[in-house]
Amino acid sequence: MIQRLRDFFSSSARRITRPPTESEAARNPGCSLVVENVSKSFGKTQILNDVSFTAEAGEFVTLLGPSGCGKTTLLRIIAGLDRSDRGRILLAGRAVDHLPANRRPVNTVFQNYALFPHLSVFENVAFGLRSRSIPDPEVRDRVRSSLSMLKLDDLAERYPHQISGGQKQRVALARAVVNEPEVLLLDEPMSALDAKLRAEVQLDLRRLQRALGKTFVLVTHDQDEAMTVSDRIVLMNKGRIEQQGVTAEVYERPQSRFAAEFFGAANLISAQRVGATLVFTTVGALRVQTTPQWEFGTLAIHPEWIELCENEPPENGVRGVVRESFYRGDHVELIIEPGPLRVQLSPRARLTPGSSVWLALPAERLEVLSD
Amino acid sequence: MTEPTVWYGQLTTRRRLLARGFLFIAGGISWLAVFLLLPSLALFVVSFMKRDADGVLIWELTLESFARIFGSASGENARILIRSIVLALIATSASVTLAYPMGFFIARGSRRRRFFWLALVIVPLCTNLVIRTFSWKLLLSAQLMPAKLAAWLGWIDPGRDIYPSWTAVALGLVAASLPFAVVPLYTSIDRLDWSLVEAAQDLYASRLRVFFAAILPQTLPGLSVAVILTFVPAMSVFVVSDMLGGAKHWLIGNLIQHQFGPGRNIPYGAALSLLLIILTLGGVSLYRRNGRSVEIL
């Protein structure tokens, strides 16, 4: 609250940092958004520590991380609602650090939607166009078309307190996209919706982004949501970027313990390096594809990549005993000693606790974590 | 009436509920009856009475006082009334304009700092208005900087005080009204939903548009309380105009006070008071009705 007041009253002159330079724009052609070495502290707490990432034009990028990892602050810095201590933001190749929020070519969908309660749905959506003194006929056309894109035509004359949470969320979206921003920022826009509606909205959001061809940057703590909607995921932890890459890569190839644990299910196996690609682990000797940089460390493998074999497999075989078995409808989850390893199998595999099994941990699926 | 009703999980009847309700408000009602209704009634009756040469009331009904208001003295009265309204409007708008930034300033502090600044705004109210106005008289006297500055700028003759003048009256009125504008506005500002302010900024709004689209609608309840709390007292004030204005700068408050004091015309004073009460109530209710249409919050 105090910080917000301070920011509101601090003059825009204080935002002036460096003028835009041509070289950076040239270095990142085709990038809608470039975040470069951004750091931010509130008092003694470091919120963001040297964060860099880019979003290409038309890309859907998600900033994913647990609460308090700095993802929302990063979004606010991009929007111009907070200022960074160091680093710079480029939008469409132009440095915008010196611009206040109202002069940046971005729009935000806020977590609580922040619809103006005294304005109708139509006027809420028209707000950004009216701020820029766009002539009335054009305002009407653009508002109408964005309302119909989000199936809100019938609600134009309603007030925010007369519509449902899901409808408010769509109005907030319409209010942002109607301005055709260079980058659309979404701050946990689905956190207030119930699970069923959220799943629907995720698909709608993905379709909308494809249809508009605009760059979307979404902030969320929900990894399922991130995987459903994003082209690329930027995984954040404690103010740093833990890992970034295309969605499947971040899920399948975690580089750190945090990344492996954040996407839930991965098995973490403590290991000791004994050869260039050979490690001793709690489940036996295993061969890996990359040479570990550590003496003692961790390997990760997702439960769905562990294979069940009838006989001893040629490589990375583990002889185990089923301790527990959980039927999940679309799959069966087994807890197997040693480890314990969690294994995910087709529901056709009927294995009762106590049975002995051979497991194969494919070397190409065993991730050598950095820590 | 005797049908059972459930009220906060309690089985009761409507009649019992009404009885209990009356019991709760009986204290307040009787207070208002004794200290508001009775005096108003007395004022009403007295305004229709006669007085003798020494100003003693005579129990005889007459419309003399009202005839004087709208007849022989109407020109002068109208002038004084308009003057009072204009000055009250100036005091109100100046107080509210000053109170907005003060409210923001106080709300941005920590708990302790807020308390300090709020106390600083409220503490002067512990002093009598006469004393506060007297200190303004000192501040505006010829020996001090404000008067010297005004003289240097050619607004007043060198060596003169700034009072008696309308400027001095307006300054005194604003000073008297300011706390009553700051407190309700601060309360509204403290509860401001900042995400709306940010949404407006995000949607390209200039500072002015941010204020009118995001801050004003949210602080409207506080603003309307501030306007009433400053306008109504400013309409009836007589101490400030008496001390900083003198005989040439009468407001309606002075006119009324004069009738009850040196003028010795209590019925005329009562009639003027009635007029002022009706006008003020009328103005406030008109304001509330117009205000409600924007108060969708």
Side-chain angles (χ1 to χ4, degrees):
Chain A
M1 162 87 187
I2 301 162
Q3 185 58 39
R4 285 173 176 195
L5 273 159
R6 206 166 286 153
D7 284 350
F8 181 70
F9 284 109
S10 67
S11 84
S12 56
R14 271 174 55 191
R15 289 172 194 267
I16 292 171
T17 47
R18 291 157 290 196
T21 51
E22 284 304 312
S23 62
E24 268 162 307
R27 218 190 304 155
N28 299 295
C31 275
S32 281
L33 171 68
V34 178
V35 172
E36 228 174 47
N37 309 107
V38 166
S39 295
K40 170 84 180 168
S41 306
F42 286 122
K44 282 184 180 157
T45 325
Q46 180 127 38
I47 306 292
L48 292 172
N49 191 350
D50 200 25
V51 169
S52 302
F53 78 93
T54 60
E56 275 169 39
E59 205 176 20
F60 201 133
V61 176
T62 296
L63 303 178
L64 176 65
S67 62
C69 74
K71 57 194 191 298
T72 294
T73 305
L74 182 54
L75 198 77
R76 292 174 54 84
I77 288 173
I78 298 169
L81 298 169
D82 274 330
R83 271 163 295 132
S84 60
D85 299 337
R86 256 181 329 231
R88 60 173 68 191
I89 309 284
L90 278 82
L91 284 163
R94 211 160 58 95
V96 293
D97 303 88
H98 60 294
L99 294 176
N102 60 355
R103 293 180 53 206
R104 294 190 184 194
V106 293
N107 287 111
T108 309
V109 176
F110 292 87
Q111 186 168 12
N112 65 353
Y113 316 137
L115 301 179
F116 300 109
H118 60 291
L119 297 180
S120 65
V121 166
F122 184 96
E123 283 305 322
N124 261 287
V125 176
F127 192 94
L129 303 175
R130 297 213 194 281
S131 292
R132 288 183 294 169
S133 316
I134 283 166
D136 223 36
E138 191 186 335
V139 171
R140 266 199 302 277
D141 287 350
R142 284 172 70 173
V143 172
R144 290 275 170 230
S145 77
S146 86
L147 283 177
S148 78
M149 191 177 351
L150 285 146
K151 302 183 205 92
L152 291 164
D153 314 66
D154 304 337
L155 304 178
E157 301 313 316
R158 300 264 192 99
Y159 282 87
H161 64 93
Q162 296 169 320
I163 60 179
S164 72
Q167 289 165 340
K168 279 184 199 170
Q169 203 261 352
R170 297 214 302 277
V171 174
L173 210 50
R175 186 174 71 171
V177 299
V178 75
N179 302 298
E180 295 170 10
E182 177 69 29
V183 177
L184 185 75
L185 306 170
L186 303 116
D187 185 7
E188 308 226 8
M190 289 168 258
S191 60
L193 305 178
D194 61 67
K196 189 168 168 285
L197 191 56
R198 198 182 311 163
E200 240 170 72
V201 172
Q202 283 166 4
L203 297 179
D204 284 346
L205 196 62
R206 181 74 228 203
R207 283 183 203 124
L208 179 74
Q209 189 262 344
R210 289 261 165 80
L212 292 171
K214 289 279 173 189
T215 312
F216 279 33
V217 176
L218 170 76
V219 157
T220 184
H221 62 269
D222 180 342
Q223 78 273 15
D224 288 331
E225 184 171 300
M227 286 194 282
T228 308
V229 299
S230 336
D231 295 314
R232 235 149 43 75
I233 290 177
V234 176
L235 184 63
M236 292 182 67
N237 182 31
K238 293 181 184 159
R240 288 176 178 279
I241 290 179
E242 198 77 29
Q243 189 174 347
Q244 53 178 317
V246 293
T247 303
E249 183 191 305
V250 175
Y251 176 80
E252 290 173 15
R253 304 232 172 270
Q255 285 162 11
S256 62
R257 257 190 109 94
F258 174 82
E261 280 177 332
F262 194 80
F263 282 99
N267 288 294
L268 297 178
I269 305 167
S270 300
Q272 181 188 6
R273 192 185 66 196
V274 290
T277 57
L278 189 67
V279 291
F280 272 157
T281 71
T282 47
V283 298
L286 295 174
R287 195 157 287 284
V288 291
Q289 285 195 326
T290 46
T291 308
Q293 302 300 303
W294 34 256
E295 167 91 47
F296 295 94
T298 315
L299 305 178
I301 184 165
H302 280 285
E304 61 270 30
W305 292 113
I306 298 180
E307 290 159 17
L308 190 69
C309 307
E310 290 186 9
N311 305 306
E312 182 174 359
E315 193 183 63
N316 287 356
V318 174
R319 182 77 172 154
V321 177
V322 179
R323 283 279 165 248
E324 283 168 289
S325 160
F326 302 102
Y327 180 72
R328 302 267 197 215
D330 58 339
H331 69 269
V332 172
E333 194 175 312
L334 302 174
I335 309 291
I336 290 174
E337 292 284 359
L341 290 173
R342 291 197 295 118
V343 181
Q344 210 166 298
L345 296 172
S346 134
R348 274 166 294 190
R350 302 275 178 198
L351 282 170
T352 46
S355 30
S356 291
V357 289
W358 272 107
L359 300 174
L361 278 55
E364 71 274 18
R365 290 294 170 189
L366 265 176
E367 292 305 320
V368 177
L369 302 182
S370 60
D371 51 349
Chain B
M1 277 300 264
T2 49
E3 264 180 47
T5 333
V6 177
W7 187 74
Y8 282 91
Q10 214 180 341
L11 195 63
T12 178
T13 63
R14 263 184 71 82
R15 190 177 297 172
R16 266 196 228 163
L17 272 181
L18 276 174
R20 192 182 332 179
F22 279 123
L23 201 70
F24 271 123
I25 60 171
I29 292 274
S30 41
W31 180 275
L32 285 176
V34 173
F35 293 104
L36 183 75
L37 287 181
L38 284 183
S40 305
L41 199 66
L43 206 66
F44 183 75
V45 173
V46 167
S47 68
F48 290 100
M49 281 166 68
K50 275 191 166 180
R51 54 148 198 173
D52 68 12
D54 297 325
V56 178
L57 293 174
I58 302 169
W59 289 92
E60 203 176 304
L61 285 182
T62 171
L63 286 172
E64 220 172 71
S65 300
F66 289 97
R68 189 170 161 198
I69 290 178
F70 298 107
S72 59
S74 63
E76 178 62 12
N77 286 346
R79 218 170 301 137
I80 291 178
L81 187 66
I82 289 168
R83 221 187 260 159
S84 302
I85 293 173
V86 169
L87 258 158
L89 285 176
I90 290 175
T92 302
S93 43
S95 303
V96 167
T97 312
L98 289 172
Y100 257 108
M102 283 173 79
F104 276 106
F105 177 78
I106 297 170
R108 70 183 268 185
S110 61
R111 258 182 100 86
R112 208 190 236 174
R113 266 189 44 194
R114 285 176 199 210
F115 180 77
F116 172 76
W117 289 110
L118 265 185
L120 224 56
V121 170
I122 294 166
V123 157
L125 297 182
C126 301
T127 329
N128 192 295
L129 182 60
V130 177
I131 297 169
R132 272 182 287 148
T133 310
F134 188 75
S135 64
W136 272 98
K137 215 165 164 169
L138 291 177
L139 267 175
L140 299 177
S141 60
Q143 298 82 14
L144 291 184
M145 274 312 288
K148 285 184 176 162
L149 187 69
W152 184 73
L153 289 168
W155 292 347
I156 56 169
D157 295 329
R160 296 280 301 274
D161 303 319
I162 293 181
Y163 64 89
S165 66
W166 287 119
T167 315
V169 175
L171 276 174
L173 266 181
V174 172
S177 313
L178 198 54
F180 298 102
V182 172
V183 174
L185 269 179
Y186 157 75
T187 316
S188 270
I189 290 167
D190 192 34
R191 280 178 297 182
L192 208 62
D193 178 358
W194 282 91
S195 69
L196 291 182
V197 174
E198 293 185 338
Q201 289 174 321
D202 187 66
L203 294 162
Y204 318 111
S206 62
R207 264 151 211 263
L208 210 61
R209 186 159 155 81
V210 168
F211 179 80
F212 282 107
I215 294 176
L216 186 65
Q218 287 196 72
T219 51
L220 214 53
L223 180 65
S224 55
V225 172
V227 166
I228 290 171
L229 283 187
T230 53
F231 184 77
V232 173
M235 268 302 280
S236 57
V237 77
F238 62 88
V239 170
V240 174
S241 45
D242 193 45
M243 293 176 73
L244 294 173
K248 276 192 200 157
H249 302 85
W250 265 18
L251 298 180
I252 183 109
N254 301 98
L255 186 63
I256 293 169
Q257 191 248 352
H258 180 79
Q259 308 311 324
F260 286 98
R264 290 179 166 268
N265 195 344
I266 293 176
Y268 186 49
L272 283 168
S273 297
L274 272 185
L275 182 73
L276 178 61
I277 290 172
I278 290 165
L279 280 175
T280 312
L281 282 181
V284 168
S285 65
L286 206 71
Y287 169 76
R288 290 298 294 179
R289 193 174 309 158
N290 287 340
R292 192 147 305 153
S293 60
V294 243
E295 258 180 69
I296 295 169
L297 294 175

